[in-house]
Amino acid sequence: DGRVEVFVQNPEVGDFNDEVDAEYSGEEVKIGFSIEYLIDVMEHIGTEKVIISVKDGASPCVIKPDGTKDEYLNIIMPVRI
């Protein structure tokens, strides 16, 4: 158990920084996503918790619902940070 830092940067609205509770394993990874794609995924998942699987900062990320047998999953490509 731990915390994950979330940083959002939007030239029209400004910056946002927060930490959220998370369970994770493996090496620390810095990865960037288009916020529009990430919001779209989260709106369609429909669960409070998600599983986000990342290999490294340049590989696709798999996001799927946690705690459900729903086979819905999404793949998001990272953006350069």
Side-chain angles (χ1 to χ4, degrees), residues 4-16:
V4 172
E5 183 177 6
V6 177
F7 180 72
V8 178
Q9 196 171 28
N10 184 321
E12 295 175 14
V13 181
D15 298 342
F16 173 78

Side-chain angles (χ1 to χ4, degrees), residues 13-45:
V13 181
D15 298 342
F16 173 78
N17 191 31
D18 199 3
E19 288 188 4
V20 295
D21 291 330
E23 297 177 24
Y24 60 89
S25 62
E27 299 293 320
E28 180 178 311
V29 174
K30 287 188 178 187
I31 191 165
F33 299 107
S34 166
I35 191 66
E36 290 85 11
Y37 294 139
L38 194 55
I39 288 172
D40 186 51
V41 168
M42 301 308 270
E43 287 176 342
H44 287 91
I45 284 186

Side-chain angles (χ1 to χ4, degrees), residues 45-52 64-72:
I45 284 186
T47 60
E48 189 173 311
K49 293 183 179 183
V50 296
I51 298 171
I52 300 175
K64 59 185 181 178
D66 185 29
T68 179
K69 294 182 182 187
D70 187 357
E71 305 229 355
Y72 177 82

